[in-house]
């Protein structure tokens, strides 16, 4: 091994390559929330698919035509594509991949060039550590199988060679995990016959036996690292190539079976024309082929990141429903008279408080609109959401100061994940029971709400979108109490406190779409405990344009006692042995503000109107707001 290899790690000419139109297309098509994936560095190991100039530097000789820029490509390769997708500078890309490398110490290009074992040893000798923002990309194994297949590999030999190659690769991955690798995207394959040179060899069946054994061996060998928390995305490049061959036009190719180098009209054509061929030389890809591969890699790594939003949105819906009921109770609050006071004596207005007398039945309804945002944190992609809703309720006031009822709510939340990473639509059905007690100065309210949520999840694929559907449930218990002092005129002011506990569960599901990218999503949940303390300012009924109107304003400090930390469990459907454990960092734990306000206007003795709303402010991770307007009828 060349002792100078440790100095030859940088990606080199990537900046110039990123100006190409094909690579720009890869950036646009792979916008799956890449900025939200937390990738701040890229470290690469492997063979000629990933080599960005190391063979040229090690040998001192340029690669022959049709290869350019030190890459086994007519332009960029998948490393350049990933660099563009993540927007990384050259200084953030470290590349140890060497053309010809095999999974062990061998190299089909020259005995003097390293294999994967030496590549990893060189990295370890550098003393570097792989941090949480570093994505490790590995492309290895092809040279083991292709060389053996072309040399006459037999069906009896193929499975054993596949297992040996897998064990070699797994050993190197284990060393990288020991050096801190937290997220690894690994290009494997279950078939080699998508490569024209293998397909034309007459021995493709043996090559495929090797490939299947190799892929299965990778799954089994990498499984313990996945179970321990290393996020390993093992892709099936063979299946990717088969999908392109089956329908090349959808991927932007006109020819997916003939090598460009063997077609004179392609070889002498501009790069844009060459990129309409998948294969450059029968083994390596054109720039267009490599960039499709990079989009698959980035898509797979991004796949778990939007799942956090599902439970959060369900919980936002149910807690917003509960909050709207508490606001409505505040708007209709009627304080019982003190000793010696007339029934209608509230403040100095002399307006009789409607609803103070017992009522056998109150029917009410309201429409609402909520919205807000959540910031990206760690592996959790941020999003913006909105939610129209409608609520109907039945209520009774069996005695002055006592109110209880039942309500049904339908909401249709919609969220757009940041960076074009997908969308979530929910049909949410809420049911609640609530009660309120109001004395001369003291009051207390409580709500028990349940929400049933039907989720429809869409995220971008490389060609077709990926879809998922599941259901979930939320329960929220909210209580609030306060003591208001008479201050001046009809105004009351005093402290209020409250507590809301919410729990949400989202069921498991399997995505539909491109089988290379679909994922199995495990059940997940979220718990929240929010305390509040502040003041309420309210006015006894006053006459406004001839109508008795009650108003209130709450200003409170909210504190989230739970941090929302949890681990999401997914797996690619093509690699069920490799669970992907995605830890979510802290949510909005801490203190933030909430302002709520509302009014109730008595139109007639039997009809009232309400308008309530609230908004958080200074909330870590994003704020939310809600507005509700309603009609109440007394019978």
């Amino acid at each position: 091994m060349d002792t100078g290899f440790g100095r030859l790690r940088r990606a080199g000419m990537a900046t110039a390559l990123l100006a190409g139109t094909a690579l720009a297309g890869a950036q646009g098509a792979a916008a799956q929330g890449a900025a939200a994936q937390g990738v701040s560095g890229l470290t690469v190991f492997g063979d000629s698919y990933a080599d960005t100039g190391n063979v040229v530097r090690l040998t001192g000789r340029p690669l022959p035509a049709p290869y350019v820029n030190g890459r086994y490509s007519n332009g960029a390769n998948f490393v350049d594509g990933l660099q563009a997708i993540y927007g990384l500078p050259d200084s953030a890309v470290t590349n140890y991949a060497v053309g010809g490398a095999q999974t062990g110490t061998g190299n089909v290009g020259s005995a003097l060039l390293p294999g994967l074992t030496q590549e990893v040893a060189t990295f370890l000798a550098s003393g570097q550590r792989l941090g949480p923002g570093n994505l490790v990309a590995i492309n290895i194994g092809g040279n083991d199988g292709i060389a053996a297949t072309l040399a006459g590999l037999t069906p009896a030999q193929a499975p054993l060679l596949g297992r040996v190659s897998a064990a070699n690769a797994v050993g190197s991955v284990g060393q990288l995990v020991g050096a801190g690798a937290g997220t690894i995207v690994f290009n494997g394959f279950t078939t080699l016959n998508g490569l024209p040179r293998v397909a034309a060899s007459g021995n493709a069946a043996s090559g495929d036996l090797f490939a299947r054994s190799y892929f299965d061996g990778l799954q089994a060998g990498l499984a313990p690292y996945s179970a321990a928390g290393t996020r390993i995305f093992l892709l099936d490049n063979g299946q990717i190539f088969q999908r392109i061959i089956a329908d090349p036009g959808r991927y932007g190719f006109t020819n997916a079976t003939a090598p460009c180098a063997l077609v004179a009209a392609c070889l002498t054509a501009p790069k844009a024309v060459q990129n309409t061929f998948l294969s450059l030389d029968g083994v390596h890809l054109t720039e267009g082929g490599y960039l499709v591969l990079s989009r698959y890699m980035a898509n797979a790594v991004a796949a778990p990141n939007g799942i956090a939003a599902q439970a959060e949105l369900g919980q936002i819906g149910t807690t917003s429903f509960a909050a709207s009921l508490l606001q409505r109770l505040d708007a209709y609050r009627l304080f019982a008279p003190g000793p010696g006071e007339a029934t209608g004596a509230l403040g100095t207005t002399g307006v009789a408080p409607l609803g103070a007398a017992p009522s056998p039945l109150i029917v009410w309804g309201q429409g609402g609109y909520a919205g807000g945002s959540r910031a990206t944190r760690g592996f959790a992609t941020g999003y913006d959401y909105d939610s129209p809703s409608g609520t109907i309720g039945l209520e009774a006031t069996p005695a002055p100061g006592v109110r209880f009822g039942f309500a049904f709510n339908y909401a249709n939340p919609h969220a757009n994940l940041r960076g074009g990473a997908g969308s979530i639509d929910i049909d949410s059905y809420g049911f609640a029971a609530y009660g309120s007690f109001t004395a001369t100065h003291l009051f207390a309210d409580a709500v028990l709400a349940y929400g049933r949520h039907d989720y429809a999840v869409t995220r971008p694929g490389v060609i077709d979108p990926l879809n998922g559907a599941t259901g979930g449930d939320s329960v929220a218990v909210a209580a609030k109490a306060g003591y208001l002092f008479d201050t001046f005129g009809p105004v009351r002011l005093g402290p209020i406190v409250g507590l809301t506990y919410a729990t949400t569960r989202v069921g498991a599901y399997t995505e539909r779409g491109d089988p290379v990218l679909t994922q199995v999503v495990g059940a997940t949940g979220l718990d929240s405990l929010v305390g509040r303390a502040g003041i309420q300012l309210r006015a006894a009924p006053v006459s406004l344009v001839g109508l008795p109107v009650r108003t209130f304003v709450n200003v409170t400090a909210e504190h989230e006692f739970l941090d929302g930390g949890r681990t999401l469990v997914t797996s690619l459907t093509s690699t069920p042995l490799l669970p992907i454990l995605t830890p979510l960092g802290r949510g909005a734990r801490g203190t933030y503000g909430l302002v709520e306000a509302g009014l109730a206007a008595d139109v007639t003795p039997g009809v009232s109107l309400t308008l309530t709303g609230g908004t958080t402010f200074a909330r870590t991770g994003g704020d939310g707001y809600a507005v509700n307007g309603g009609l109440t009828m007394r019978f």
Side-chain angles (χ1 to χ4, degrees):
M1 182 179 67
D2 190 325
T3 57
F5 176 57
R7 298 189 296 272
L8 303 177
R9 299 172 297 186
R10 297 299 177 192
M13 305 176 191
T15 301
L17 289 167
L18 301 191
T21 56
L23 196 51
Q27 289 179 277
Q32 14 254 338
Q37 295 178 42
V39 176
S40 57
L42 180 64
T43 303
V44 185
F45 301 88
D47 52 30
S48 53
Y49 274 40
D51 189 343
T52 53
N54 283 329
V55 162
V56 173
R57 296 183 183 105
L58 288 169
T59 64
R61 297 189 301 271
L63 297 178
Y67 311 125
V68 300
N69 297 323
R71 289 146 173 83
Y72 291 81
S73 167
N74 62 328
N77 64 16
F78 81 77
V79 177
D80 304 306
L82 289 177
Q83 181 178 355
I85 288 169
Y86 295 120
L88 300 175
D90 288 352
S91 60
V93 181
T94 306
N95 194 338
Y96 293 86
V98 176
Q102 296 177 297
T103 57
T105 59
N107 188 298
V108 298
S110 169
L112 299 177
L113 292 174
L116 179 64
T117 299
Q118 293 101 318
E119 293 176 17
V120 173
T122 301
F123 164 75
L124 295 175
S126 72
Q128 295 183 76
R129 296 284 298 177
L130 296 164
N134 197 286
L135 174 65
V136 175
I138 302 173
N139 193 103
I140 201 70
N143 288 319
D144 298 49
I146 295 170
T149 299
L150 298 181
L153 181 71
T154 68
Q157 295 168 333
L160 176 59
L161 179 61
R163 291 192 292 271
V164 170
S165 296
N168 289 338
V170 169
S172 289
V173 169
Q175 292 181 296
L176 295 173
V177 171
T183 301
I184 300 171
V185 57
F186 193 126
N187 289 329
F189 43 85
T190 57
T191 176
L192 289 171
N193 65 24
L195 300 175
R197 192 172 178 190
V198 174
S201 70
N203 199 26
S206 292
D208 282 353
L209 286 174
F210 163 84
R212 185 73 258 182
S213 176
Y214 176 62
F215 196 83
D216 290 346
L218 288 175
Q219 273 206 80
L222 295 174
Y225 299 113
S226 289
T230 301
R231 304 168 75 237
I232 300 176
F233 300 85
L234 176 59
L235 288 182
D236 184 353
N237 283 4
Q239 191 175 21
I240 293 173
F241 297 157
Q242 291 298 329
R243 289 182 64 80
I244 295 173
I245 291 169
D247 195 354
R250 299 199 67 207
Y251 289 83
F253 299 106
T254 60
N255 193 317
T257 56
C260 175
L262 300 184
V263 179
C266 178
L267 186 60
T268 59
K271 186 169 69 172
V273 175
Q274 294 177 351
N275 285 341
T276 63
F277 280 62
L278 172 62
S279 174
L280 179 62
D281 60 7
V283 172
H284 302 99
L285 308 181
T286 62
E287 178 182 272
Y290 283 121
L291 298 184
V292 169
L293 181 57
S294 69
R295 289 159 57 190
Y296 268 98
M297 297 169 74
N299 190 293
V301 174
N305 297 5
I307 296 171
Q310 297 168 24
E312 293 175 3
L313 288 165
Q315 190 155 105
I316 288 171
T318 301
T319 55
S320 294
F321 177 33
S324 73
L325 296 176
L326 292 176
Q327 291 173 6
R328 182 180 179 278
L329 292 172
D330 266 335
Y332 275 113
R333 190 170 316 284
L334 296 167
F335 283 90
E341 288 184 313
T343 302
L346 290 176
T348 60
T349 65
V351 179
L354 299 177
S359 170
L361 181 64
I362 296 173
V363 178
W364 62 274
Q366 66 182 24
Y369 185 84
S373 65
R374 292 293 182 268
T376 294
R377 66 181 192 280
F379 291 114
T381 300
Y383 55 91
D384 301 293
Y385 70 90
D386 60 75
S387 176
S389 65
T391 305
I392 58 174
L394 294 175
E395 189 175 282
T397 56
V402 177
R403 184 183 297 268
F404 66 86
F406 302 91
F408 168 77
N409 169 270
Y410 171 75
N412 184 213
H414 171 81
N416 287 317
L417 302 178
R418 298 279 170 82
S423 63
I424 301 172
D425 288 281
I426 307 174
D427 287 311
S428 183
Y429 306 89
F431 305 86
Y434 61 91
S436 176
F437 171 75
T438 304
T440 305
H441 296 281
L442 178 70
F443 69 87
D445 304 324
V447 175
L448 172 62
Y450 167 79
R452 171 64 189 178
H453 315 297
D454 294 327
Y455 297 87
V457 183
T458 301
R459 66 181 183 89
V462 171
I463 298 298
D464 296 315
L466 300 154
N467 299 287
T470 188
D473 305 89
S474 297
V475 175
V477 181
K480 181 177 66 178
Y483 190 94
L484 302 188
F485 298 93
D486 295 320
T487 53
F488 52 89
V491 176
R492 290 188 172 195
L493 180 69
I496 56 174
V497 295
L499 191 67
T500 299
Y501 171 74
T503 182
T504 299
R505 297 294 177 263
V506 180
Y509 65 95
T510 300
E511 291 182 328
R512 303 179 305 275
D514 188 333
V516 179
L517 296 173
T518 52
Q519 58 181 344
V520 177
V521 179
T524 185
L526 178 64
D527 296 302
S528 173
L529 181 64
V530 177
R532 64 190 305 192
I535 60 171
Q536 181 175 106
L537 173 70
R538 67 182 303 118
V542 297
S543 180
L544 181 64
V545 294
L547 300 177
V549 175
R550 298 179 291 278
T551 59
F552 77 92
V553 176
N554 298 332
V555 180
T556 55
E558 310 274 303
H559 185 83
E560 172 61 78
F561 292 99
L562 306 180
D563 64 10
R566 53 206 162 108
T567 298
L568 304 177
V569 182
T570 62
S571 66
L572 293 171
T573 55
S574 57
T575 55
L577 299 183
L578 300 180
I580 298 167
L581 309 182
T582 302
L584 299 183
R586 291 171 49 152
R589 184 171 183 176
T591 303
Y592 56 94
L594 174 67
V595 175
E596 299 172 296
L599 60 85
D602 298 318
V603 180
T604 72
V607 177
S608 300
L609 300 175
T610 58
L611 179 64
T612 62
T615 181
T616 63
F617 61 93
R619 182 184 183 278
T620 300
D623 289 304
Y625 66 90
V627 178
N628 293 279
L631 172 69
T632 297
M633 301 181 66
R634 294 169 45 82
F635 296 94

